[in-house]
Amino acid sequence: MRRGPAGVLAALLLACFAPASTAAEPAKPEPRRLTYRHVGDRGLSAFVFAPATAAKKPAPAILLFHGGGWRIGSPEWTFTSARRFADLGLVAIAVEYRLSNGGSTPIEALDDTCAAFAWAQRGAATLGIDARRIAVYGVSAGGHLVATAASAGCPADADGQRRRIAPVAMILFSPALDMARDGWFGKLLDGRAKAEAYSPVEHSGAHVPPTLIVQGDADTLTPARGATAFCAPVSAAGGICEIASYPGLGHLLTRNLSHQEDDFDPDPVASRAAPVRQTRVREARGRGSPTT
């Protein structure tokens, strides 16, 4: 069976929010650490988690990009989600990107995001993945990076063109999408560009791949208005852009609304309910069933 776009989103969401097992489990193998690009004398790493069961044919893949306000964070922050995707049969790849310090800005991070996607496509045979079925998953600032790459496009190439990546689906978890209203992002650009040029909201439309946004409606760091503004043009063009909104929860579905930046308290009920809720929504719309 092959899943249609909505079925893909349901499966990916299930991996994100399936509660961790409380039973003792055997130790799982560590990911392979590969270098997907060099920037000067620095190599940037991709951590590859193989599917739990060996596939007889190329497997779908998902690239994961961590959050941290473009300034901090590491691929290890997404390892738990990566292992869950691998348990579903995907090749999950947690990506390192340049952080906004030492002369780098979010523009460099976006360039790395695009380079990682291109690397996965080029090396599909070696990685054991289907180049036509690569999804992306981004948390907070990582959500901004993948959404920008798929909407506004990558940084301009030598010809001055901004080409977009084309993942089969996007999962965005508390993503930063409305950059024109994000003073922190504008500051990190350090005068090199206007925030609107790297704002998914300003560049959304029919070209955006099937997208699912998980969002707390009390999020003060990446407000829900950004998700609504991003999805509206996609839906108007007949595309798939769905928001799993959770009342009374903040950034990354935290219950601690007074300290959303550094003291997360994710709501366990919302985390468990997310896959069930979204699957029912799709079934009601007639878009959730696998297709052959």
Side-chain angles (χ1 to χ4, degrees):
M1 303 290 279
R2 180 169 54 86
R3 293 182 182 273
V8 170
L9 293 182
L12 297 184
L13 181 65
L14 180 62
C16 294
F17 290 97
S21 172
T22 56
E25 296 182 357
K28 295 184 178 180
E30 290 300 305
R32 285 191 296 157
R33 182 172 185 170
L34 305 176
T35 299
Y36 72 89
R37 80 178 307 192
H38 284 89
V39 180
D41 59 357
R42 177 184 175 184
L44 294 176
S45 296
F47 297 84
V48 182
F49 293 80
T53 56
K56 296 181 180 179
K57 57 184 179 179
I62 185 163
L63 275 59
L64 297 90
F65 296 83
H66 65 83
W70 303 274
R71 195 73 180 268
I72 63 172
S74 72
E76 285 81 2
W77 289 12
T78 64
F79 277 14
T80 297
S81 292
R83 289 191 172 97
R84 288 176 174 176
F85 287 126
D87 286 345
L88 281 181
L90 285 76
V91 175
I93 304 173
V95 178
E96 177 187 17
Y97 58 84
R98 282 172 286 177
L99 301 175
S100 293
N101 48 48
S104 291
T105 73
I107 299 174
E108 280 69 40
L110 177 63
D111 190 46
D112 296 336
T113 300
C114 296
F117 191 85
W119 168 82
Q121 287 186 312
R122 288 194 311 270
T126 301
L127 293 168
I129 65 178
D130 184 343
R132 300 166 301 173
R133 293 190 295 161
I134 302 176
V136 290
Y137 169 83
V139 181
S140 194
H144 162 263
L145 295 175
V146 297
T148 301
S151 59
C154 304
D157 59 20
D159 297 327
Q161 301 295 314
R162 291 189 64 177
R163 295 178 172 82
R164 304 184 188 104
I165 66 170
V168 68
M170 292 197 297
I171 296 284
L172 309 178
F173 188 18
S174 295
L177 297 171
D178 189 359
M179 313 323 297
R181 301 191 191 188
D182 193 318
W184 172 245
F185 179 78
K187 181 179 179 180
L188 292 177
L189 286 176
D190 197 26
R192 290 181 49 190
K194 291 186 177 182
E196 290 86 345
Y198 294 94
S199 179
V201 163
E202 270 73 24
H203 300 274
S204 183
H207 53 276
V208 170
T211 300
L212 177 66
I213 301 175
V214 178
Q215 178 78 50
D217 75 351
D219 191 330
T220 57
L221 300 183
T222 57
R225 65 173 182 264
T228 301
F230 180 76
C231 277
V234 182
S235 299
I240 297 174
C241 190
E242 301 187 7
I243 303 172
S245 180
Y246 291 89
L249 298 181
H251 196 59
L252 305 183
L253 302 187
T254 185
R255 294 177 292 189
N256 188 351
L257 300 183
S258 60
H259 294 282
Q260 296 189 32
E261 229 173 319
D262 54 11
D263 190 9
F264 298 113
D265 179 26
D267 183 272
V269 175
S271 296
R272 288 194 297 270
V276 175
R277 176 184 175 190
Q278 287 303 295
T279 298
R280 286 175 177 170
V281 167
R282 290 185 183 85
E283 288 173 349
R285 293 179 180 177
R287 295 191 291 177
S289 300
T291 58
T292 54

